[in-house]
Amino acid sequence: MPAPRPLLPWWAAMLVAVLAGFLTDAAYPELAIWPLVFVGVALALLAQIGRSVGGAFLIGYTYGVSFYLVHVEWTSRYLGPVPWLALSLFEALFVGVGGIAITLAYRWVPRVWPGRWARLTALPAVVAALWIAKETVIGNFPYGGFPWARLAVSQSQSPFAEAVSWIGFAGLGFAIVWVTASAIEWVRVSAEPGGPLLPRPRALVGLVPLAAVLVVAGVVPAWQTAPQGSLTVASAQGNGPAGYFDVRSTGDVLRTQVDATEPLLGRDDIDVLLWPEGSVDDSVNPGTSAARTLDRITAALDAPLIANTVTVRGDEYFNTSFLWRTGEGITQTYDKRHPVPFGEYIPDRDFYMFFAPDLIGLVQRGYSPGTNPPVFDLGETIAGLAICFDVIYDEVIHEAARDGAEVYLLQTNNADFRGTDENQQQLAFARLRAIETGRWVVNLSTVGRSQVIDASGRTVDAIPADQPGAMVTTVGLRTGLTPSVVVGGWIDGAISVGGLAALAVAFVLVRRRRAADAVASSPEDANRPVPAEG
């Protein structure tokens, strides 16, 4: 089978790659037009087919740049264009390398696994697996990775969202690309010489696998965890000056949290009070004013408080969530597992100071990653925890479920991204985490938008953005592990390794066939007598 020819001329392929990036981003919140992810992925793949290695990288890089420049535009909110451009251009490098792998799959796989059904099933599977391999690398490298833009997140409000409880984020992303690539191959096969230009009954049979995947992903309900009672959670959003560049004095954020909580004091139906990330910006050492304030709040509610502050141990700083009980102070802590590079610490500081000393100099304090379990024992309930961007990392969420979490109480601070898509994108993760784990999620921000999400992904309570307020919600408690949590990172690994292995096997077989064809077509071999048997 000859190598595929480019489907688009160069200039058109570049324009299509740019359009593909914009359309893919439009599938994510805030626009959340989820069907557009299939259009964006389709255009990205069409632009890759038939390219040279260099051309494949350039097309993939162009797609990645156009996508990330829009998707993470919120990173420029306070620090200007340098971090935004650096992050977008860097992450696009991985998309470009992934584009090479996908282009080679279109070149090699049909040669070693020819035939109509291989084109409709095997080739799309390899392409989809390579796409997920690219996502897996981006999610882990460098500095812990940045798995913010996984395809699955675009489906947080789609009929396919419930599939994450079975196959995880990677599995849903694989299904999106597989369906899209299979549809492309069906059209290409139908349009080839000898193929039907218009759908015929026999040709329509080729759509059966594609349709089956769509039906299964859209119809099969989420894995059902077991109900285990309820918990009444009070959540306070102070809307205080919690941003990096907000003008404030020590204790200002704490005061706004107290003000938002005051209307709840005296209620006797609250089991736990939740405050967001960065909610205590003062020392809570015994005898301090802040410690007395926390004691007063928890005594008036007769309930413990989960809050967040900065802690220092030796020479290390931690972004720490803590459980406070009246008269006892801090009884349990959880330290953020994934401090944000260039936001909460500077990796390789001397190197980056050479390029942007003013920006790097803004981050004087460096947070260390935590190692303690992401759960708090509230007495009769185990609560799972994640601090801000922790929610995008599978292992933190899965570990909490395996450690017995019956509900997730997530804390975040979106003050540095007011007026951007960042909060909505993070809420999409929280919604999918609820479905993936089969647990209720309380996602509380300093400045909003805060939400309570049930185990089906439905928002049942909320506080608008940029407004102080509090909500008291009776949340369901659930036990049991979904298949996604049980299998965990093995899904990502199996898909990624499988795709790379299939590409490597295809490469080896193509080379062997080329060598065999060269020998068979050699004039010397053609004239050489065949030895007699025996």
Side-chain angles (χ1 to χ4, degrees), residues 360-529:
I360 299 302
L362 290 174
V363 183
Q364 294 295 323
R365 179 193 303 165
Y367 289 96
S368 298
T371 57
N372 35 7
V375 292
F376 282 166
D377 185 347
L378 303 182
E380 297 181 355
T381 302
I382 303 295
L385 308 168
I387 302 173
C388 201
F389 283 7
D390 270 353
V391 73
I392 71 177
Y393 294 93
D394 291 351
E395 76 275 7
V396 176
I397 301 299
H398 294 175
E399 181 182 338
R402 296 187 190 113
D403 285 348
E406 300 160 283
V407 62
Y408 283 91
L409 305 179
L410 311 182
Q411 301 161 291
T412 186
N413 178 10
N414 306 112
D416 285 326
F417 310 114
R418 290 178 187 260
T420 72
D421 294 350
E422 188 273 344
N423 175 245
Q424 294 299 319
Q425 292 174 6
Q426 189 171 339
L427 281 171
F429 267 98
R431 184 173 294 108
L432 285 175
R433 292 305 187 189
I435 299 170
E436 180 194 31
T437 62
R439 269 81 170 160
W440 285 55
V441 168
V442 181
N443 191 86
L444 182 65
S445 168
T446 49
V447 299
R449 185 174 183 230
S450 300
Q451 292 187 349
V452 178
I453 304 165
D454 70 14
S456 70
R458 181 175 59 95
T459 298
V460 298
D461 210 346
I463 305 174
D466 301 320
Q467 295 182 25
M471 49 187 173
V472 178
T473 316
T474 299
V475 304
L477 303 176
R478 315 284 295 189
T479 59
L481 301 180
T482 65
S484 176
V485 172
V486 171
V487 180
W490 287 100
I491 299 175
D492 304 59
I495 293 174
S496 301
V497 172
L500 293 170
L503 187 65
V505 169
F507 170 69
V508 171
L509 294 178
V510 164
R511 291 199 62 178
R512 286 183 179 178
R513 290 190 180 184
R514 284 178 181 169
D517 291 344
V519 170
S521 62
S522 170
E524 292 80 1
D525 290 336
N527 296 324
R528 184 177 300 163

Side-chain angles (χ1 to χ4, degrees), residues 79-152:
L79 296 177
V82 174
W84 167 51
L85 291 173
L87 177 62
S88 300
L89 298 178
F90 179 76
E91 297 294 0
L93 290 173
F94 296 101
V95 182
V97 173
I100 295 175
I102 288 171
T103 293
L104 293 177
Y106 277 112
R107 184 185 304 176
W108 293 337
V109 172
R111 296 188 191 181
V112 296
W113 294 298
R116 182 165 173 261
W117 285 105
R119 289 274 300 277
L120 296 174
T121 57
L123 174 59
V126 176
V127 169
L130 293 172
W131 190 296
I132 297 307
K134 172 201 67 182
E135 282 194 355
T136 301
V137 172
I138 291 174
N140 289 276
F141 177 85
Y143 310 127
F146 185 62
W148 186 263
R150 300 165 83 175
L151 279 184

Side-chain angles (χ1 to χ4, degrees), residues 278-325:
S279 49
V280 179
D281 57 339
D282 202 352
S283 171
V284 292
N285 290 331
T288 61
S289 172
R292 290 192 294 272
T293 297
L294 299 188
D295 265 345
R296 177 177 69 84
I297 294 290
T298 53
L301 291 173
D302 191 24
L305 163 69
I306 296 177
N308 177 275
T309 191
V310 178
T311 59
V312 183
R313 282 159 247 164
D315 296 329
E316 293 185 292
Y317 290 84
F318 297 89
N319 183 340
T320 302
S321 292
F322 61 86
L323 182 69
W324 185 279
R325 294 185 182 276

Side-chain angles (χ1 to χ4, degrees), residues 4-64:
R5 299 175 62 86
L7 302 181
L8 301 168
W10 253 110
W11 63 269
M14 292 293 287
L15 291 177
V16 165
V18 172
L19 179 61
F22 291 151
L23 292 177
T24 304
D25 172 73
Y28 294 77
E30 182 130 1
L31 293 179
I33 309 172
W34 61 264
L36 286 181
V37 76
F38 297 93
V39 181
V41 170
L43 293 178
L45 295 179
L46 288 170
Q48 297 278 179
I49 296 173
R51 299 293 165 195
S52 64
V53 170
F57 175 81
L58 185 58
I59 294 293
Y61 187 74
T62 300
Y63 168 67

